[in-house]
Amino acid sequence: MRFRNLIFGLLMALGLSPVALAQSFAKYSDEFPETVKAMYHIPVAMRDGIELATDVYLPKEGGTYPTLLIRDIYTNGSAAGRQKYAKFATSNGYALVFQSVRGRYDSDGKWYPYFQEINDGDDTLSWIAEQTWSDGKVGMFGSSYLASVQWLAAVNRNPALVAIAPAVSPGNYYRDVAYPGGAFSLLSRASWGIGLVGSKTNMSFPVDWVKEIKHLPLDTLAESVGFNVKHFQDWIDHPSDDAYWKPLNLEARANEMAVPAMNIGGWYDVFLRSTIGSYKTMTEEAATETARKGQRLVIGPWPHGWNQQTKIGDMQLGDNSLIDAPEMLLEWFNYWMKGDAKPSSLKEDEAPVRIYVMGENVWRDEQEWPLARTTYRPFYIHADSTLSTEASTAKSASMKYDYDPADPVPTLGGNIMSAKLRGPFDQKPLDGREDILRFVTEPFTQATEITGPISAEIYASSSAPDTDFMAKLIIVKPDGSALNLVDGVIRARYREGFDKPKLIEPGKVYKYEIDMWATSYKLSPGDRIRIDITSSNFPRLARNLNTGADFAKTSEMKIANQTIHMSKKYPSKIVLPIVP
């Protein structure tokens, strides 16, 4: 049984939405078998005495079992989707432990995201290992926050944790969750951090987050819509990568972890950078050889909510993008937890990486990431709005635009949580905006694959002491449609490091390096590449108000006069990974 079958099972088994769960766990919709024993709301004490509500499902009375653990913030375990997890586990010889994390639903304590999961996850693993029904081996699976708790629990290297399968999970909480490129991830942090998990249970108060987050200053945003949420205030009070974020930089803590992991992400997922980062750092730095060799990476054509149909945004995918084989999840855990035969994905001659190549719409196995055969080709921007592999020979060349925070470029697609905005969208609705510079290639004459990490190097000056610069990679089809692939941002004050804020000198030219994460797309003959450069992406990212003031503390705005330089001296470009 090949790696692709294992992966197909894992991906849909870990789906985030009820639709995905219905697809992937359809066979587990019936009633529990009479042999299953359920114990609800067991108070499990943490090291500080706080008790967490924990449900246990056993395949039958008596005996010992390996355990699958779910630690959740979104339900108390009674939801149909979570019940399917229990039926899935018990039907296949596993106990399932479902726990509401500290401060959520029926668990005691004060809710505060992320930090508390390190010790609470460790304590829960130890508790499971001590139970008479446990054989001492625990695996964890789940997506998004349910994936975060897996990595956070792994930091303490609890011997009970033998394998995990985190899907669409952050790994560097400053750079992925809160401040990509140094710009605050406003829509997701507000709608999730305040509106969804700002209390003990998920809230559904009538707040239009797209409209309401226009409020300034940002440090009174929660109050303006009627909330007082400490973790949100802490996030906006730490706009630099300082000591607050250090415990949550799990990429930097790979040498503290020793757990095999199936790392699963999506090209349009908000946490794509960390899915790749976790795989890379764990393969290189994990504490044991078993863990280093036990990492696998799978990236499909999904946003954060997983793919539930063959069309995402405005991009039509192949029928093979719909995958539903949850039984293959068992192959991963059965090997690590039951001693079953080694799955093909762990054999020396099998590829540890599997990616979906959009455009061509095929799955492909690879031996490493990034691909060793990649050629990194620069494409330079020119003052005639062209984009080409030829560097400029001009002594002086530039283009200008004005960025007005009162009229920011609206978010249209990309790696974002919002179900309405995420994924690939035709960029035509933004065509009339004069605060976007667009540079496009000639049509490609042959099929060309772009797979791997993407970056932009922009030389720019501004009239402001602080501002943002953003780059977006777009595929222009022969019919004129323009679909976004990836984008990135850098806040000017963080050009020298996210822990080193330093304002810029107005009028001075600086080099800005923009991490645009990664993608995989095969261009067809006739397709063109376009790069858009601008200074806002709202409400996905908080607006830079261009004043140089401390973040979130002011309502004052200024228009920034931006100049993008593209001469021989200042060769602004995007670097694309071309796969032969």
Side-chain angles (χ1 to χ4, degrees):
M1 188 172 296
R2 291 187 56 79
F3 181 36
R4 71 187 62 187
N5 294 328
L6 167 64
I7 295 311
F8 287 175
L10 281 169
L11 294 171
M12 291 310 288
L14 302 177
L16 179 63
S17 73
V19 174
L21 284 171
Q23 292 174 342
S24 60
F25 282 93
K27 66 180 294 183
Y28 300 105
S29 298
D30 297 333
E31 297 297 322
F32 282 105
E34 293 183 3
T35 56
V36 171
K37 179 182 180 181
M39 295 169 280
Y40 300 115
H41 292 179
I42 300 170
V44 175
M46 302 293 101
R47 64 191 64 183
D48 61 356
I50 293 296
E51 295 180 336
L52 305 187
T54 305
D55 301 337
V56 175
Y57 300 83
L58 302 178
K60 59 183 178 180
E61 293 273 8
T64 60
Y65 309 98
T67 302
L68 297 178
L69 169 63
I70 298 288
R71 304 192 67 244
D72 203 350
I73 65 171
Y74 296 113
T75 97
N76 64 359
S78 62
R82 300 318 193 224
Q83 289 286 291
K84 290 176 183 178
Y85 284 145
K87 296 169 187 176
F88 167 73
T90 55
S91 296
N92 292 288
Y94 289 87
L96 184 120
V97 171
F98 180 96
Q99 184 179 79
S100 295
V101 307
R102 178 181 298 240
R104 295 288 287 175
Y105 291 90
D106 302 298
S107 288
D108 295 334
K110 188 173 183 180
W111 159 242
Y112 192 100
Y114 309 122
F115 293 88
Q116 61 193 12
E117 314 305 353
I118 297 174
N119 289 337
D120 287 356
D122 185 47
D123 292 346
T124 302
L125 291 167
S126 295
W127 179 83
I128 293 172
E130 294 168 355
Q131 302 309 299
T132 58
W133 43 260
S134 169
D135 72 355
K137 295 179 180 179
V138 184
M140 299 179 72
F141 70 99
S143 59
S144 196
Y145 200 95
L146 281 66
S148 293
V149 297
Q150 299 172 51
W151 285 119
L152 292 166
V155 168
N156 285 317
R157 291 186 62 180
N158 193 301
L161 185 61
V162 297
I164 61 176
V168 293
S169 174
N172 181 322
Y173 288 67
Y174 174 82
R175 292 195 61 184
D176 298 327
V177 176
Y179 289 92
F184 187 55
S185 188
L186 178 61
L187 180 57
S188 75
R189 292 306 87 197
S191 60
W192 185 86
I194 301 174
L196 184 63
V197 298
S199 69
K200 194 172 182 67
T201 60
N202 290 1
M203 296 184 292
S204 58
F205 293 101
V207 177
D208 181 347
W209 287 105
V210 173
K211 178 180 178 181
E212 297 295 341
I213 58 179
K214 294 178 182 178
H215 172 86
L216 292 171
L218 283 180
D219 66 355
T220 59
L221 170 61
E223 178 185 345
S224 74
V225 291
F227 298 102
N228 178 11
V229 182
K230 182 176 180 1
H231 58 252
F232 180 80
Q233 296 305 128
D234 288 344
W235 296 340
I236 63 175
D237 285 344
H238 292 274
S240 298
D241 193 5
D242 57 19
Y244 172 83
W245 299 104
K246 187 175 181 179
L248 300 180
N249 184 353
L250 300 182
E251 293 170 9
R253 304 185 70 176
N255 61 359
E256 301 177 50
M257 294 183 276
V259 62
M262 185 70 73
N263 301 273
I264 305 165
W267 293 125
Y268 287 97
D269 178 45
V270 66
F271 302 138
L272 171 65
R273 198 202 66 81
S274 266
T275 299
I276 296 171
S278 295
Y279 171 77
K280 287 286 291 178
T281 55
M282 286 295 288
T283 56
E284 296 167 0
E285 303 173 21
T288 66
E289 183 179 8
T290 297
R292 291 190 294 272
K293 290 185 175 181
Q295 302 300 310
R296 295 297 177 265
L297 176 65
V298 184
I299 308 179
W302 311 295
H304 191 66
W306 295 99
N307 83 310
Q308 302 159 16
Q309 52 193 12
T310 57
K311 186 178 182 181
I312 300 176
D314 292 331
M315 182 182 290
Q316 184 65 51
L317 299 165
D319 290 341
N320 62 348
S321 62
L322 289 180
I323 50 180
D324 186 12
E327 294 301 312
M328 296 301 99
L329 178 61
L330 295 174
E331 190 177 39
W332 177 255
F333 287 117
N334 283 353
Y335 169 68
W336 292 110
M337 302 174 69
K338 291 187 175 182
D340 282 10
K342 181 178 288 189
S344 59
S345 65
L346 291 173
K347 294 178 180 177
E348 295 297 331
D349 60 346
E350 289 291 332
V353 175
R354 187 161 179 79
I355 59 174
Y356 189 89
V357 183
M358 298 179 292
E360 188 176 13
N361 293 341
V362 297
W363 287 96
R364 195 171 68 218
D365 296 329
E366 295 290 349
Q367 291 296 329
E368 71 286 305
W369 182 271
L371 312 188
R373 63 187 183 280
T374 304
T375 298
Y376 293 91
R377 187 178 302 169
F379 284 76
Y380 299 90
I381 65 175
H382 299 275
D384 61 356
S385 296
T386 61
L387 180 67
S388 74
T389 56
E390 296 181 2
S392 175
T393 59
K395 187 175 182 180
S396 177
S398 63
M399 296 179 71
K400 300 178 183 291
Y401 65 93
D402 291 337
Y403 159 48
D404 182 358
D407 181 26
V409 175
T411 297
L412 183 58
N415 297 55
I416 189 171
M417 280 189 175
S418 171
K420 294 181 179 180
L421 298 175
R422 63 193 178 202
F425 285 88
D426 192 341
Q427 300 296 297
K428 281 185 178 179
L430 303 180
D431 281 355
R433 296 194 66 97
E434 297 181 357
D435 52 357
I436 303 174
L437 301 182
R438 303 167 183 86
F439 305 89
V440 65
T441 65
E442 292 294 322
F444 280 68
T445 58
Q446 60 184 19
T448 303
E449 182 181 329
I450 301 170
T451 294
I454 297 173
S455 62
E457 187 177 283
I458 304 298
Y459 291 86
S461 56
S462 175
S463 64
D466 187 35
T467 192
D468 291 346
F469 291 103
M470 303 177 184
K472 181 185 293 185
L473 178 64
I474 295 166
I475 301 299
V476 181
K477 307 300 287 186
D479 64 4
S481 60
L483 299 176
N484 55 292
L485 277 185
V486 290
D487 57 68
V489 59
I490 186 66
R491 182 145 291 194
R493 69 173 66 194
Y494 293 115
R495 67 197 179 279
E496 296 181 6
F498 299 113
D499 59 341
K500 302 173 183 178
K502 184 179 180 182
L503 297 180
I504 60 176
E505 179 182 333
K508 183 177 178 179
V509 179
Y510 294 90
K511 180 173 72 173
Y512 295 97
E513 296 178 352
I514 303 175
D515 182 0
M516 300 175 69
W517 296 6
T519 194
S520 181
Y521 190 94
K522 191 167 186 177
L523 299 162
S524 299
D527 288 350
R528 293 180 291 165
I529 291 173
R530 192 176 93 194
I531 181 173
D532 288 4
I533 297 175
T534 188
S535 292
S536 51
N537 184 351
F538 185 81
R540 176 184 174 186
L541 300 174
R543 295 165 287 178
N544 194 317
L545 303 185
N546 299 326
T547 65
D550 291 344
F551 176 68
K553 306 301 182 183
T554 181
S555 301
E556 180 187 0
M557 301 183 191
K558 290 184 178 180
I559 295 175
N561 312 123
Q562 317 287 52
T563 303
I564 307 299
H565 300 265
M566 50 201 74
S567 62
K568 183 177 182 180
K569 182 179 180 181
Y570 300 122
S572 294
K573 61 181 181 286
I574 184 172
V575 180
L576 299 181
I578 305 299
V579 177

